[in-house]
Amino acid sequence: MIHQKVKLSNDIYWIGVNDRRTHLFENQWPLPNGVAYNSYLIVDKFNCIVDTVEMSKLDTYIEKIYEIIGEGGKVDYLVVNHMEPDHSGAIKAVLKEWPEVKIVGNLKTFPMLEGFYGITTNYYKIEDGDTIDLGNHKLKFVLTPMVHWPETMMTYEESTGILFSADAFGSFGTLDGGIFDDEINLSFYEEEMRRYYSNIVGKYGLQVQKAMDKASALDIKMIASTHGPIWRSHIATVIDYYNKWSRYETEEGVVIVFGSMYGNTEIMAEIVARTLSEEGIKNIRIFDSSKTHNSYIINALWKYRGVMLGSAAYNGSIFTPMSDLIRELEHIMPKNHLLGYFGSMSWGGGAVRALDKFAEAIKWEVVAPAVEVKHSANNDDSARLVAMAKAMANRLKEYRNS
Ligand code: FEO
């Protein structure tokens, strides 16, 4: 035995792996703390795997399975809750190892299985609410489309109350020894969980709400996601997070993002921030869009109600890193924010014009007219920025008192 057995119950095991090598999740989201790919094995009359892992860890993965079921042991079912390759990457290896395995998925799973891996056999199709009896365990399937892909579903094990939730309730960050929520300090995972949610699943708030409604009918004793800790002691807390995040509920605070080449727009951000503080706003975060990856900015924005964007002009339009940010926001379309924006024209402007269009598209409440300055802010411009920041603070305080 090389690897310790990690038990969720008497005969349900965590067989996941940690990835500390990949720099970017989906080749775009920074992973300074790595990521875990969780997979689970139910040992019963019919052995069953729930989701697999990314393909870079195949040897360890298969080794872990054999250590539990023994040499010559077999896997009868493989439940595919989600086809994204960070979880489906080992399906081919499982099929090769256990050619009789039944691959459990829904109508939308199998075209992906064929498209990504050329697998056209061993399909075991289920529909919403169907069950599979493994012997002592009974699996019930809950279809949860678009949390995160169209084929996504969850699997509920009835005898233990474990919900295998796919990406839902997942988090960036490896499992560094602690696997269960009560074995670790959760403060780290709260940030990484929200960064994961807001950037990966955040676009699908409505679908997450529908999934939460469906899940609320189940007696959940443990949540076993495909990323991050397994939740058994703080289930209400994570369900509360998901309810809040999927409804776009935010706290009092302001995220200020600036795009600045030589510091003039940054000074405008500083004026705005100081005014907000003088007005009693305590949660103020300033980000330099050139330096901070959008995923961290979007994470902060999922927490705080106020958003203030400032940008230099660049070639008659908006500064490129700010352009990337607003394009990303228009793609995700978070709701329920207050917006203020400002910019420097340089010689011909363009940044504020782009932010005008953004404001129209994103449909957030704009707290005050935009402030556009020529070259750099003078005394009058500074007064206009102060007025805009005061308007933001006042609207936030109205929420506080409502
Ligand atoms: Fe962790 Fe949508 O895959």
Side-chain angles (χ1 to χ4, degrees), residues 77-93:
Y77 290 98
L78 165 56
V79 173
V80 180
N81 280 329
H82 184 21
M83 270 302 297
E84 189 163 3
D86 53 334
H87 311 298
S88 64
I91 293 179
K92 256 180 133 167

Side-chain angles (χ1 to χ4, degrees), residues 25 82 84 86-87 148 167 196 226-227:
F25 183 73
H82 184 21
E84 189 163 3
D86 53 334
H87 311 298
H148 152 229
D167 281 345
Y196 179 86
T226 45
H227 300 287

Side-chain angles (χ1 to χ4, degrees), residues 48-49 76-81 101-106 109-110 113 122-126 132 139 141 153 155:
C48 175
I49 292 172
D76 302 282
Y77 290 98
L78 165 56
V79 173
V80 180
N81 280 329
V101 68
K102 295 182 180 69
I103 303 176
V104 182
N106 59 68
T109 312
F110 299 122
L113 200 55
N122 300 57
Y123 293 0
Y124 187 100
K125 183 164 143 302
I126 56 86
I132 291 180
L139 304 179
F141 303 100
M153 60 186 200
T155 301

Side-chain angles (χ1 to χ4, degrees), residues 50-69:
V50 181
D51 291 309
T52 72
V53 298
E54 201 262 350
M55 62 174 63
S56 62
K57 300 271 182 171
L58 288 184
D59 287 351
T60 304
Y61 180 63
I62 299 293
E63 192 171 76
K64 281 188 172 192
I65 297 170
Y66 274 124
E67 282 188 348
I68 294 166
I69 63 173

Side-chain angles (χ1 to χ4, degrees), residues 122-141:
N122 300 57
Y123 293 0
Y124 187 100
K125 183 164 143 302
I126 56 86
E127 291 180 5
D128 194 31
D130 280 357
T131 57
I132 291 180
D133 203 332
L134 300 176
N136 294 320
H137 300 89
K138 195 170 176 186
L139 304 179
K140 181 175 184 171
F141 303 100

Side-chain angles (χ1 to χ4, degrees), residues 14 129 163 184 220 244 266 273 276 285 292 310 330 332:
W14 175 81
L163 180 69
I184 54 187
I220 300 170
K244 190 173 155 194
E266 183 176 5
L276 287 166
R285 299 286 311 278
T292 308
E330 281 183 36
I332 298 178

